[in-house]
Amino acid sequence: MNPLLLLDYAGVAVFAATGALAASRKQLDIVGFIFLAAITGIGGGTLRDVILNIPVFWIGDTVYVLICAVVAAFVFFTAHLVASRWKWLLWLDAVGLAAFAAMGAAKGMTITGSPVVAIITGMLTATFGGILRDIVAQEASVLLRPEVYITAAGAGAAAYVVADALLAAPGASAIIAFVIGLFVRGGALWFGWTLEPYKGRPGRRPDDIP
């Protein structure tokens, strides 16, 4: 199994686990677990393939859907053993984000040859599944947390583009991208790394002279 395919399967499995953990927080049934696991695990890749106008990856290889179902069933029977499910969800999400940023960038580069498109597809693949999970589960969106999130996906995708240009070895480039993406997102969770937020200014009073 080549590194890219292994990273793809691992990313689906980890993101599926975050979807199933979100389902456990909402005390859903097994069908709800599988549904949330699936939209989280394959949602980002589905959007990527639609944008790239290529066959959606899980239609041609149903192993991805089976991975989501198996992971969902496993979490359904074991989630009660995890004392802090929210903390686990955040860290598993970080791993999935790093894997999908690398895989999404690799696919974008392979299909289009454009570094810009590769970075965008890496970011979309890494973040869209988590966004869907939070919307459906009515959880606070990861995008609204103070730590960097999309930035970490962008860093991983950009690392792939740079490494691929220097090494011309997709497998090695994907591993480098995964490490960079996980480092940035993991550092954000551990140390609270953030970007400077927008600070609003007091509005002008109606009687102020223009």
Side-chain angles (χ1 to χ4, degrees):
M1 185 177 293
N2 66 67
L4 282 176
L5 185 59
L6 181 61
L7 201 60
D8 205 19
Y9 284 153
V12 169
V14 172
F15 258 152
T18 72
L21 284 173
S24 74
R25 289 167 58 84
K26 296 299 179 179
Q27 298 183 333
L28 302 183
D29 58 25
I30 185 64
V31 176
F33 269 67
I34 294 173
F35 178 74
L36 269 177
I39 66 170
T40 310
I42 64 179
T46 299
L47 177 64
R48 174 201 63 214
D49 291 351
V50 169
I51 290 174
L52 292 174
N53 196 29
I54 59 176
V56 176
F57 69 105
W58 55 266
I59 293 178
D61 186 358
T62 55
V63 170
Y64 292 99
V65 179
L66 294 176
I67 289 173
C68 292
V70 170
V71 169
F74 177 79
V75 175
F76 182 80
F77 291 107
T78 60
H80 64 284
L81 301 176
V82 182
S84 178
R85 280 174 250 176
W86 177 244
K87 186 175 180 180
W88 273 90
L89 187 149
L90 287 176
W91 280 100
L92 287 174
D93 185 85
V95 174
L97 178 141
F100 273 8
M103 191 59 206
K107 200 160 191 178
M109 181 63 76
T110 300
I111 298 300
T112 69
S114 167
V116 174
V117 172
I119 292 173
I120 292 172
T121 55
M123 294 171 68
L124 287 176
T125 307
T127 60
F128 190 66
I131 294 170
L132 280 179
R133 174 198 64 219
D134 294 340
I135 291 173
V136 174
Q138 296 183 330
E139 296 272 9
S141 175
V142 289
L143 296 181
L144 300 180
R145 290 182 60 81
E147 310 94 3
V148 294
Y149 187 75
I150 295 178
T151 304
Y160 178 88
V161 169
V162 173
D164 186 62
L166 296 176
L167 303 177
S173 299
I175 293 173
I176 292 171
F178 171 78
V179 171
I180 295 296
L182 184 59
F183 172 78
V184 175
R185 180 56 182 157
L189 291 174
W190 191 264
F191 299 108
W193 294 345
T194 63
L195 297 177
E196 183 66 24
Y198 169 78
K199 293 185 173 72
R201 298 177 181 177
R204 188 177 62 180
R205 295 177 301 178
D207 56 346
D208 285 345
I209 298 175

